[in-house]
């Protein structure tokens, strides 16, 4: 291997590395800049198919990766946030959204690359305001993306003079199926269809000896482009391993979408090339072929989506056939196993936070079950209820550890905005508070065991007062679940307000117990159990209030940051 070939290969790999780094950095910057808006966009993914498709395209344009959007959709299907048809519509949109990268690359901005890099650098590294830094990061990464493209373009020029290489390209250009295989293999290795299409655009822009004709041509580029679309489905298929069947079917739908589209378009490559040339800008082939490839990519995905969108029920049947339910029912999932957390979506913070919040809500539901059992255990001496509390306590402890580890891993990605970091910190505290509520109900159950062993008896009045306390705190727990699940600020304020009534209740019932002691109607031996159970209930109310305040503080922080941004913009 001569030095010129080594220079070409290393330059191509180096340029590709800079391109991929720039694309990932731009995706991170755009996500941070979008901030709360990403939360709203994710919220509409589960609407009707057309809205889901548009939202999928928008999310992919921000993430700069159809694979990332597809992995997110798989995670949402696995969590039960999306039905299979909804996820399929999002995937259709993701395939359209990913074509934006190729359209951007087709612009000729060579003279502006370094000014863009410098401006982005200044905005990224010097301002203290987070929103400006995020925009600067996106601009800086955008410049790096084109630095990588220019590097690849420069090192590819000698290839046009290599007879051996031209002979290989001629084979690919005249055997479409070979081009599809090359494209799929390239994307499989690089794990980014946007990167391989960028390489394709730059390679096709290299001239033959006449200085005008592309060494590949649009007819030769289209099969490789189609192969790129197939290769990008591998990431989604890998992400679905170990997931529920509907998650696997979502990944399969992505594969079926691109494979069927490729199969149809393969028969019409020459006609398709002429059509793209007709609708694209005119000029020397090497000057316009990059835009032609981008247009071919966009039109392929739009046409494929238009065909498949009304046929979503058919797509569902196909993937159900490919991945059937099977005769045997799957074993029931253990309670201590997480249902919503998906490590594949950690690089998309808003999606990961949403899944963690669902898992947090699920733990709170288990603690609410503990509340009902603890009440039966103490007031009625139900031995089965005592065992149920002990079992659920172990489940809550394990799930709390899982959520805390998941959120800690999310922090380690370094992709969180200041607002997202505050939300994650609040959720970690909330998980701890929920686990402590479980501890309090375990404490109450221990008193139930003691009450049974020592044969303590309480007056009817005392039991009625304790039942009132149990009911009041259970209502707070129910409202806390609604607060977590719906991010309902009004309910959160209601929970915080109810904490005052729990404290009043504890003082009132303690006073009444002392009065009964003075009158001799209540046994002194019962005092410890009675007062400690009341204290446990008061602590539970405090933890519920803390969880509700976490949500209220999160919203206040967002409002404060928006006001600060507004003032700085006005200044």
């Amino acid at each position: 291997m001569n030095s010129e070939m080594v220079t070409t290969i290393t330059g191509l790999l180096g340029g590709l590395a800079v391109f991929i780094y720039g694309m990932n950095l731009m995706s991170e910057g755009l996500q941070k800049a979008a901030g709360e808006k990403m939360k709203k966009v994710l919220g509409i993914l589960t609407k009707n198919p057309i809205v889901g498709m548009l939202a999928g395209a928008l999310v992919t344009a921000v993430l700069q990766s159809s694979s990332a959007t597809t992995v997110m959709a798989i995670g949402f299907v696995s969590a039960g946030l999306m039905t299979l048809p909804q996820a399929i519509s999002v995937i259709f949109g993701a395939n359209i959204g990913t074509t934006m990268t190729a359209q951007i690359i087709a612009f000729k901005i060579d003279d502006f690359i370094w000014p863009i890099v410098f401006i982005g650098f200044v905005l990224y590294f010097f301002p203290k305001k987070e929103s400006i830094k995020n925009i600067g990061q996106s601009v800086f990464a955008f410049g790096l993306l084109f630095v990588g493209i220019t590097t690849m373009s420069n090192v590819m020029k000698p290839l046009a003079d290599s007879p051996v290489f031209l002979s290989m390209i001629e084979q690919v250009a005249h055997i479409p199926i070979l081009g599809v295989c090359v494209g799929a293999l390239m994307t499989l290795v690089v794990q980014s269809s946007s990167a391989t299409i960028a390489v394709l655009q730059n390679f096709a822009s290299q001239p033959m000896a006449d200085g005008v004709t592309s060494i590949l041509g649009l007819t030769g580029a289209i099969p490789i482009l189609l192969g790129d679309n197939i290769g990008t489905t591998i990431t989604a298929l890998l992400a679905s391993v170990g997931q529920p069947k509907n998650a696997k079917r979502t990944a399969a739908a992505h594969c079926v979408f691109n494979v069927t589209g490729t199969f149809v378009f393969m028969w019409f490559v020459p006609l398709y090339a002429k059509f793209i040339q007709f609708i694209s800008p005119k000029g020397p082939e090497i000057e316009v072929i990059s835009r032609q490839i981008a247009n071919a990519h966009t039109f392929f995905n739009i046409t494929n989506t238009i065909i498949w969108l009304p046929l979503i029920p058919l797509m569902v049947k196909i993937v159900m056939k490919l991945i059937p339910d099977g005769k045997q029912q799957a074993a029931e999932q253990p309670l201590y196993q997480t249902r919503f957390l998906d490590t594949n979506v950690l690089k998309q913070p808003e999606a990961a936070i949403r899944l963690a919040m669902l898992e947090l809500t699920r733990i709170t539901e288990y603690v609410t079950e503990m509340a009902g059992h603890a009440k039966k255990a103490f007031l009625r001496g139900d031995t089965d209820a005592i065992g149920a509390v002990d079992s659920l306590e172990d489940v809550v402890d394990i799930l709390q550890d899982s959520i805390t580890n998941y959120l800690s891993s999310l922090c380690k990605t370094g992709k969180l905005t200041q607002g997202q970091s505050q939300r994650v910190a609040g959720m970690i505290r909330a998980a701890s508070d929920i686990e402590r509520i479980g501890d309090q109900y375990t404490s109450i159950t221990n008193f139930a065991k003691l009450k049974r062993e020592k044969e303590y008896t309480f007056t009817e009045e005392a039991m009625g007062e304790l039942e009132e306390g149990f009911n009041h705190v259970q209502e707070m727990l129910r409202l806390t679940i609604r607060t977590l699940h719906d991010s309902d600020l009004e309910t959160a304020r209601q929970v915080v307000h109810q904490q005052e009534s729990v404290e009043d209740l504890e003082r009132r019932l303690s006073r009444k117990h002392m009065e009964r002691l003075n009158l001799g109607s209540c046994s002194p031996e019962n005092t410890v159990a009675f007062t400690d159970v009341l204290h446990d209930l008061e602590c539970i109310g405090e933890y519920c209030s803390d969880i509700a305040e976490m949500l209220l503080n999160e919203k206040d922080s967002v409002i404060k940051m928006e006001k600060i941004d507004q003032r700085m913009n006005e200044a």
Side-chain angles (χ1 to χ4, degrees):
M1 187 181 294
N2 57 40
S3 60
E4 186 176 338
M5 183 59 69
V6 171
T7 301
T8 300
I9 293 173
T10 55
L12 181 60
L13 294 176
L16 183 60
V18 172
F19 175 87
I20 293 174
Y21 174 72
M23 191 168 62
N24 290 338
L25 192 64
M26 184 166 70
S27 170
E28 182 182 321
L30 288 171
Q31 282 194 75
K32 288 180 177 179
E36 288 293 308
K37 295 181 180 65
M38 273 294 288
K39 187 177 179 181
K40 294 176 183 176
V41 172
L42 292 179
I44 64 172
L45 286 178
T46 56
K47 302 293 183 182
N48 63 65
I50 294 177
V51 174
M53 182 266 292
L54 294 174
L58 182 58
V59 170
T60 305
V62 172
L63 298 180
Q64 289 293 297
S65 170
S66 62
S67 295
T69 305
T70 305
V71 167
M72 193 188 303
I74 289 171
F76 282 4
V77 168
S78 178
L81 293 178
M82 278 186 188
T83 63
L84 182 58
Q86 287 169 338
I88 290 172
S89 70
V90 171
I91 286 171
F92 291 169
N95 281 277
I96 295 174
T98 195
T99 66
M100 291 301 298
T101 308
Q103 292 291 350
I104 292 170
I105 292 169
F107 285 105
K108 304 293 182 182
I109 60 170
D110 294 8
D111 296 337
F112 305 100
I113 292 174
W114 294 114
I116 290 172
V117 170
F118 177 73
I119 293 170
F121 173 80
V122 171
L123 294 175
Y124 184 20
F125 285 93
F126 293 108
K128 293 182 179 180
K129 187 180 175 185
E130 188 181 22
S131 57
I132 294 177
K133 288 178 72 70
N134 293 335
I135 293 171
Q137 178 179 336
S138 302
V139 174
F140 178 64
F142 180 75
L144 284 184
L145 188 144
F146 276 93
V147 169
I149 292 170
T150 302
T151 302
M152 288 188 286
S153 180
N154 291 336
V155 299
M156 284 180 187
K157 289 177 181 177
L159 295 177
D161 299 324
S162 170
V164 175
F165 193 77
L166 289 175
S167 176
M168 290 171 58
I169 291 301
E170 187 177 357
Q171 293 295 319
V172 173
H174 289 84
I175 307 176
I177 190 63
L178 185 58
V180 171
C181 293
V182 168
L185 183 61
M186 286 171 60
T187 305
L188 182 61
V189 171
V190 178
Q191 287 290 294
S192 170
S193 62
S194 295
T196 52
I197 290 170
V199 172
L200 177 63
Q201 286 174 289
N202 278 276
F203 181 73
S205 297
Q206 304 308 312
M208 296 281 282
D210 60 8
V212 176
T213 308
S214 165
I215 62 173
L216 182 61
L218 185 58
T219 304
I222 287 175
I224 299 175
L225 177 69
L226 298 176
D228 286 335
N229 280 277
I230 293 176
T232 196
T233 65
I234 303 300
T235 304
L237 290 171
L238 292 174
S240 70
V241 174
Q243 300 276 28
K245 287 188 182 295
N246 271 347
K248 292 185 174 71
R249 289 164 182 156
T250 304
H254 189 207
C255 191
V256 170
F257 176 86
N258 284 303
V259 169
T260 54
T262 297
F263 179 78
V264 171
F265 274 71
M266 278 280 293
W267 298 96
F268 307 101
V269 169
L271 288 174
Y272 186 48
K274 288 181 180 179
F275 171 75
I276 294 298
Q277 288 166 345
F278 175 75
I279 64 172
S280 300
K282 304 299 184 288
E285 188 174 36
I286 60 166
E287 295 293 329
V288 298
I289 194 166
S290 181
R291 177 64 64 192
Q292 290 174 348
I293 291 172
N295 290 345
H297 189 207
T298 301
F299 193 81
F300 166 77
N301 282 290
I302 289 177
T303 303
N304 214 13
T305 299
I306 291 172
I307 293 170
W308 271 112
L309 198 58
L311 298 176
I312 286 179
L314 175 61
M315 177 69 84
V316 171
K317 288 181 180 179
I318 292 172
V319 296
M320 291 281 283
K321 193 76 174 176
L322 291 173
I323 306 173
D325 285 323
K327 294 180 180 178
Q328 293 183 344
Q329 290 290 333
E332 189 175 345
Q333 188 182 41
L335 294 181
Y336 58 79
Q337 187 172 327
T338 60
R339 292 182 186 172
F340 302 108
L341 306 184
D342 187 346
T343 55
N344 291 310
V345 302
L346 283 173
K347 292 182 180 179
Q348 287 78 54
E350 281 298 338
I353 288 172
R354 188 175 184 187
L355 293 176
M357 188 62 83
L358 287 172
E359 201 70 57
L360 206 58
T361 305
R362 178 177 167 232
I363 300 184
T364 313
E365 290 170 351
Y366 286 147
V367 170
T368 304
E369 282 187 47
M370 291 178 71
H373 291 306
K375 178 181 172 182
K376 288 180 183 177
F378 193 86
L379 298 180
R380 299 178 180 83
D382 190 327
T383 53
D384 291 337
I386 293 173
V389 170
D390 290 339
S391 298
L392 286 170
E393 166 65 5
D394 293 335
V395 172
V396 169
D397 287 346
I398 293 170
L399 290 176
Q400 188 250 340
D401 286 342
S402 298
I403 289 180
T404 302
N405 291 334
Y406 184 81
L407 292 172
S408 298
S409 298
L410 180 58
C411 291
K412 288 178 183 177
T413 63
K415 295 181 179 293
L416 302 182
T417 63
Q418 184 179 345
Q420 288 168 340
S421 296
Q422 289 175 346
R423 286 163 62 195
V424 168
M427 290 170 70
I428 290 174
R429 289 195 302 273
S432 178
D433 285 338
I434 292 167
E435 190 272 335
R436 287 171 185 166
I437 292 173
D439 289 343
Q440 299 299 145
Y441 279 119
T442 302
S443 173
I444 291 172
T445 306
N446 289 335
F447 279 114
K449 294 176 186 175
L450 184 65
K451 175 173 170 276
R452 185 181 179 85
E453 291 169 4
K454 301 288 186 181
E455 297 183 348
Y456 288 156
T457 56
F458 289 85
T459 63
E460 241 181 85
E461 185 181 1
M463 294 296 276
E465 289 169 353
L466 286 174
E467 185 165 9
E468 181 185 356
F470 276 109
N471 292 340
H472 193 94
V473 171
Q474 275 184 284
E475 175 63 13
M476 283 189 73
L477 265 175
R478 188 186 66 78
L479 294 175
T480 302
I481 291 176
R482 190 199 300 175
T483 297
L484 286 171
H485 189 270
D486 302 332
S487 296
D488 188 336
L489 298 182
E490 190 56 43
T491 305
R493 293 187 189 95
Q494 192 175 345
V495 172
V496 173
H497 179 70
Q498 284 201 2
Q499 171 54 20
E500 297 176 8
S501 60
V502 170
E503 293 173 356
D504 292 340
L505 180 68
E506 193 267 345
R507 287 191 291 267
R508 177 167 58 84
L509 298 189
S510 294
R511 187 172 62 251
K512 283 189 172 184
H513 179 70
M514 296 305 296
E515 290 173 358
R516 285 193 296 272
L517 278 175
N518 292 332
L519 294 172
S521 60
C522 192
S523 171
E525 290 83 4
N526 296 343
T527 299
V528 172
F530 187 89
T531 56
D532 280 3
V533 168
L534 281 182
H535 178 68
D536 286 332
L537 292 174
E538 183 188 3
C539 288
I540 291 168
E542 288 177 359
Y543 293 137
C544 289
S545 179
D546 288 343
I547 295 167
E549 283 181 347
M550 175 269 292
L551 184 68
L552 293 172
N553 291 337
E554 173 195 317
K555 190 64 178 179
D556 288 341
S557 296
V558 172
I559 293 171
K560 286 177 184 176
M561 290 175 68
E562 288 176 351
K563 287 181 178 178
I564 291 171
D565 287 348
Q566 185 177 358
R567 285 176 194 149
M568 293 185 73
N569 290 333
E570 289 173 355

